[in-house]
Amino acid sequence: MLMRKVPGFVPASPWGLRLPQKFLFLLFLSGLVTLCFGALFLLPHSSRLKRLFLAPRTQQPGLEMVAEIAGHIPAREQEPPPNPAPAVPAPGEDNPSSQASPRRRKGGLRRTRPTGPREEATAVRGHGILASRPGDEGIPFRFDFNAFRSRLRHPVLGTRADESQEPQSRVRAQREKIKEMMQFAWQSYKRYAMGKNELRPLTKDGYEGNMFGGLSGATVIDSLDTLYLMELKEEFQEAKAWVEESFHLNVSGEASLFEVNIRYIGGLLSAFYLTGEEVFRIKAIRLGEKLLPAFNTPTGIPKGVVSFKSGSWGWATAGSSSILAEFGSLHLEFLHLTELSGNQVFAEKASLPPTPSQTAPALPPAEQRDERAAATGFSEVRNIRKVLRNIEKPFGLYPNFLSPVSGNWVQHHVSVGGLGDSFYEYLIKSWLMSGKTDMEAKNMYYEALEAIETYLLNVSPGGLTYIAEWRGGILDHKMGHLACFSGGMIALGAEDAKEEKRAHYRELAAQITKTCHESYARSDTKLGPEAFWFNSGREAVATQLSESYYILRPEVVESYMYLWRQTHDHIYREWGWEVVLALEKYCRTEAGFSGIQDVYSSTPNHDNKQQSFFLAETLKYLYLLFSEDDLLSPEDWVFNTEAHPLPVNHSDSSGRAWGRH
Ligand code: DMJ
């Protein structure tokens, strides 16, 4: 058809549209574009589209985790674990064949390799947490549980040689009795306090306390590995089910970094290494991430309290101090958090060198960081071990309080008991857990022990060897119950001491353990007081009521266990059995075990508390004392300070650690 030129008709555009029509069309087009972009943000699960259209820098790893630590993102720990859990190996089954393999873990915990300095900086600021969460894209993190288990030198539960040789033996009956005590403690807790932190056996209810920042179930987590090794299968499944269904990390209180680390992280790590169950690994790592803000101090020495709500560190004033036993007892657990997450930040915080097989460096080398810190005038020291190694120590001793702001000692109070204890323990155990490669820890341990011997060790007029406390050069001639772990520690360390010192350390360990036994033997209940003195003609007894209580603590039986394994002297089993009988007589109540207020009374009042460490430590060490040495063999395991077993690094010839390929 021919188009005629009609007067008044505006010449057409190539599409033949008039001006108003063009305007309307453009309006429609711009509306459409706006709608499309809006949809990118409004539609659910639009992440793939976002990645297509948005600039890559909005995807920097670390940022989301910063927000999460600051409490801006709802916690994901209530989401189901990323991987279907492998078939549950029942306690007592040593066959790891049902455990998670790397292939199974497809879509599991992953990490993203930082792509440049900018990402690294973000990682450092955001506590180094990369995009390592279930479901994220990235390099799959691999922990080969089967490889780990195949490197163990002994079956986890031992060969049970004595059972086959002496099926009716006395020692077996003793072990069964201790197992019954554990069963009773667990069932009482389950009946009256399941999910609470601890049981109050007199009032038959639960107790939460204020150490765990709102976390619950300390007794469940602390009990897992004890139930497992005692082959209390049903009870173990109950505990595991609670962790899966009810152990929530989205809490907002203020927590003790130390207590959460040794009980919860330690308990979860052990449960994972014993069973291969992913739920324990994931929860341990998630909880570990929540602790990282505590390290955000000028020195890198963490504060004792971390706020789960704000992600800040507690008591941030120049006058407050961090406690040696607390910041010095993180190494074992944090190294394993790195091992199981692939995230270097944990080991970095605890000052341990990267594992040789680390495939993706998450942080720049320490020297570079120091240079960067110096360049910005910010004297940041991130390394706990380094701080402690470099700081001047009075007579080679480590005081109990250090300022995390200035990095200086706050008081010159030295103790191998409360406030100092597990710092020394973690030095020798770091050495052992590293497969005897962590020379720095070894050297620091023996140097510290030398100073302790020179300045703190004493022998009473009655011939009892004890470790006194030191206050700026003046000695308090007392030992706390907590200090009684040192007999076991010195025995453990004796084997790697210089040849000429070994026999001496074995004897020292035996003497200290004997003194601690005396503190039990000299009481009416045959249980030991919280602290005992050597003065005014009194030896190994408490001098006031406020120090006469016993709260089901493990340190004395812990030393019996180590000394038994080292010497096979039956005296340690005899002493351990005395404790079992005393616990039954004075601490067992209708609804669980309770501490007592006065060990010097034959009718002591109960304190109405079944401490979680009674199930984690006291009963575990007693059980081990009456078991074969290859049950949780020291060649394969070290115990954290809450008696949770963590595996020794049996690297292969290429230096690959634990479960690395
Ligand atoms: C436990 O929580 C640990 O053993 C810690 O190291 C010291 N105190 C208690 C047990 O007494």
Side-chain angles (χ1 to χ4, degrees):
M1 191 172 69
L2 181 73
M3 284 276 270
R4 292 216 188 143
K5 200 175 177 183
V6 182
F9 182 83
V10 181
S13 69
W15 295 338
L17 293 179
R18 292 180 191 167
L19 199 57
Q21 285 171 316
K22 265 204 257 176
F23 179 72
L24 275 175
F25 178 71
L26 280 175
L27 206 65
F28 170 75
L29 208 63
S30 65
L32 196 69
V33 168
T34 313
L35 209 70
C36 285
F37 268 94
L40 287 179
F41 296 95
L42 293 175
L43 287 175
H45 303 298
S46 57
S47 57
R48 217 185 296 161
L49 288 169
K50 277 183 195 171
R51 211 172 301 139
L52 275 174
F53 288 100
L54 300 180
R57 66 196 177 91
T58 59
Q59 297 293 306
Q60 279 178 30
L63 290 177
E64 271 187 275
M65 191 53 71
V66 176
E68 183 180 4
I69 285 169
H72 298 145
I73 296 181
R76 274 178 307 280
E77 45 281 340
Q78 291 190 57
E79 293 169 7
N83 311 314
V88 186
E93 281 172 15
D94 239 7
N95 184 351
S97 59
S98 62
Q99 310 309 327
S101 70
R103 275 188 66 184
R104 257 204 191 137
R105 231 174 271 121
K106 190 170 171 236
L109 194 69
R110 290 157 192 272
R111 74 178 164 181
T112 305
R113 182 193 288 272
T115 51
R118 183 171 186 168
E119 285 80 358
E120 283 180 353
T122 306
V124 173
R125 277 199 307 277
H127 308 293
I129 305 296
L130 307 177
S132 55
R133 68 175 51 158
D136 274 1
E137 298 300 320
I139 302 166
F141 175 74
R142 294 176 300 150
F143 180 84
D144 188 334
F145 190 79
N146 289 331
F148 152 67
R149 288 295 285 260
S150 69
R151 285 182 191 152
L152 294 179
R153 312 243 157 103
H154 302 269
V156 174
L157 298 184
T159 53
R160 302 179 179 94
D162 72 328
E163 281 176 29
S164 48
Q165 284 159 22
E166 297 180 82
Q168 303 304 324
S169 73
R170 179 165 181 253
V171 71
R172 188 172 181 195
Q174 290 172 311
R175 189 165 63 234
E176 287 303 312
K177 173 65 201 165
I178 295 158
K179 183 170 167 176
E180 184 278 327
M181 292 165 76
M182 178 68 188
Q183 205 164 16
F184 175 66
W186 170 260
Q187 281 169 356
S188 304
Y189 165 77
K190 190 182 81 176
R191 178 157 179 204
Y192 298 111
M194 188 67 184
K196 298 281 191 221
N197 279 322
E198 285 164 323
L199 163 69
R200 298 200 300 183
L202 301 193
T203 43
K204 297 184 180 170
D205 57 7
Y207 173 79
E208 290 292 26
N210 56 8
M211 290 190 304
F212 306 120
L215 292 171
S216 285
T219 295
V220 181
I221 313 276
D222 252 357
S223 297
L224 282 162
D225 50 18
T226 310
L227 294 171
Y228 185 89
L229 78 98
M230 290 185 181
E231 300 178 66
L232 288 165
K233 300 179 186 183
E234 211 175 291
E235 290 83 353
F236 176 83
Q237 291 302 335
E238 289 162 0
K240 184 188 149 218
W242 185 87
V243 174
E244 281 172 334
E245 290 154 26
S246 309
F247 182 45
H248 303 306
L249 307 186
N250 56 337
V251 292
S252 59
E254 295 203 328
S256 157
L257 171 68
F258 169 77
E259 296 291 351
V260 170
N261 178 55
I262 67 168
R263 299 192 201 211
Y264 286 91
I265 305 266
L268 291 165
L269 289 172
S270 290
F272 172 72
Y273 280 115
L274 291 173
T275 66
E277 294 282 353
E278 277 293 282
V279 63
F280 301 129
R281 185 176 75 102
I282 299 294
K283 298 260 182 189
I285 294 164
R286 289 279 173 266
L287 189 49
E289 289 165 0
K290 288 176 81 82
L291 297 180
L292 292 174
F295 294 80
N296 196 11
T297 68
T299 57
I301 295 286
K303 290 295 299 182
V305 173
V306 61
S307 166
F308 286 149
K309 185 174 187 182
S310 64
S312 66
W313 43 295
W315 306 331
T317 58
S320 68
S321 44
S322 297
I323 294 170
L324 180 68
E326 297 194 340
F327 67 79
S329 307
L330 301 165
H331 299 70
L332 305 182
E333 296 83 358
F334 273 50
L335 186 58
H336 278 292
L337 286 175
T338 281
E339 187 59 29
L340 294 184
S341 68
N343 193 336
Q344 276 296 310
V345 71
F346 297 109
E348 182 71 25
K349 297 296 183 194
S351 82
L352 289 155
T355 52
S357 58
Q358 201 65 42
T359 52
L363 295 172
E367 317 78 61
Q368 281 177 30
R369 286 199 314 282
D370 286 350
E371 272 170 33
R372 201 162 58 198
T376 57
F378 181 54
S379 60
E380 187 180 34
V381 184
R382 291 190 169 273
N383 185 313
I384 296 175
R385 178 86 61 79
K386 200 163 139 193
V387 171
L388 289 172
R389 200 188 54 214
N390 293 341
I391 190 172
E392 203 176 311
K393 294 170 266 294
F395 304 101
L397 296 166
Y398 289 84
N400 290 336
F401 299 102
L402 187 86
S403 163
V405 176
S406 68
N408 295 323
W409 302 119
V410 175
Q411 281 177 22
H412 282 188
H413 174 215
V414 179
S415 163
V416 177
L419 305 175
D421 48 6
S422 43
F423 159 67
Y424 306 99
E425 177 186 356
Y426 272 38
L427 287 178
I428 188 65
K429 287 183 176 175
S430 292
W431 156 252
L432 294 171
M433 198 181 84
S434 71
K436 306 194 179 182
T437 58
D438 186 353
M439 288 300 295
E440 185 180 59
K442 181 186 183 188
N443 293 336
M444 285 171 76
Y445 169 76
Y446 289 112
E447 281 163 21
L449 187 57
E450 194 104 22
I452 288 165
E453 263 201 274
T454 308
Y455 296 102
L456 273 59
L457 198 74
N458 271 274
V459 180
S460 73
L464 295 180
T465 301
Y466 63 96
I467 304 178
E469 300 194 1
W470 193 85
R471 289 180 194 277
I474 314 262
L475 288 187
D476 278 347
H477 293 273
K478 79 164 188 188
M479 242 179 115
H481 193 290
L482 290 166
C484 284
F485 87 100
S486 60
M489 176 186 73
I490 294 168
L492 188 65
E495 304 312 317
D496 291 318
K498 286 185 193 140
E499 179 76 50
E500 65 272 20
K501 297 280 276 185
R502 283 180 201 162
H504 166 70
Y505 284 141
R506 285 188 202 118
E507 180 57 19
L508 180 59
Q511 288 304 326
I512 290 170
T513 304
K514 183 172 161 227
T515 299
C516 290
H517 171 256
E518 284 302 316
S519 78
Y520 276 48
R522 294 176 189 203
S523 78
D524 293 46
T525 55
K526 305 301 168 213
L527 293 166
E530 181 67 3
F532 46 94
W533 291 78
F534 300 84
N535 59 14
S536 314
R538 284 173 298 197
E539 296 197 354
V541 289
T543 55
Q544 43 192 324
L545 189 61
S546 62
E547 293 173 335
S548 299
Y549 60 89
Y550 171 70
I551 57 168
L552 305 173
R553 285 198 192 278
E555 290 77 16
V556 175
V557 294
E558 176 181 352
S559 284
Y560 293 168
M561 191 280 289
Y562 282 108
L563 266 292
W564 161 256
R565 282 193 167 181
Q566 183 173 73
T567 65
H568 284 180
D569 183 338
H570 280 275
I571 195 70
Y572 298 112
R573 281 188 166 168
E574 275 175 37
W575 290 350
W577 194 246
E578 286 169 11
V579 176
V580 169
L581 297 180
L583 287 168
E584 284 288 279
K585 186 166 178 187
Y586 296 105
C587 300
R588 190 166 179 143
T589 74
E590 189 196 321
F593 288 89
S594 168
I596 55 176
Q597 287 171 355
D598 183 4
V599 295
Y600 302 107
S601 161
S602 53
T603 52
N605 290 325
H606 290 114
D607 69 2
N608 194 22
K609 201 156 174 208
Q610 180 176 279
Q611 304 276 351
S612 76
F613 54 66
F614 180 65
L615 294 90
E617 297 190 76
T618 312
L619 292 175
K620 185 186 285 136
Y621 285 132
L622 281 168
Y623 189 79
L624 292 172
L625 175 61
F626 291 94
S627 300
E628 289 291 289
D629 295 351
D630 59 0
L631 171 59
L632 293 176
S633 163
E635 278 191 75
D636 288 325
W637 305 91
V638 295
F639 294 100
N640 88 340
T641 192
E642 190 78 357
H644 295 305
L646 298 171
V648 169
N649 182 1
H650 294 314
S651 301
D652 62 17
S653 53
S654 61
R656 288 170 184 142
W658 287 289
R660 297 307 182 90
H661 297 277

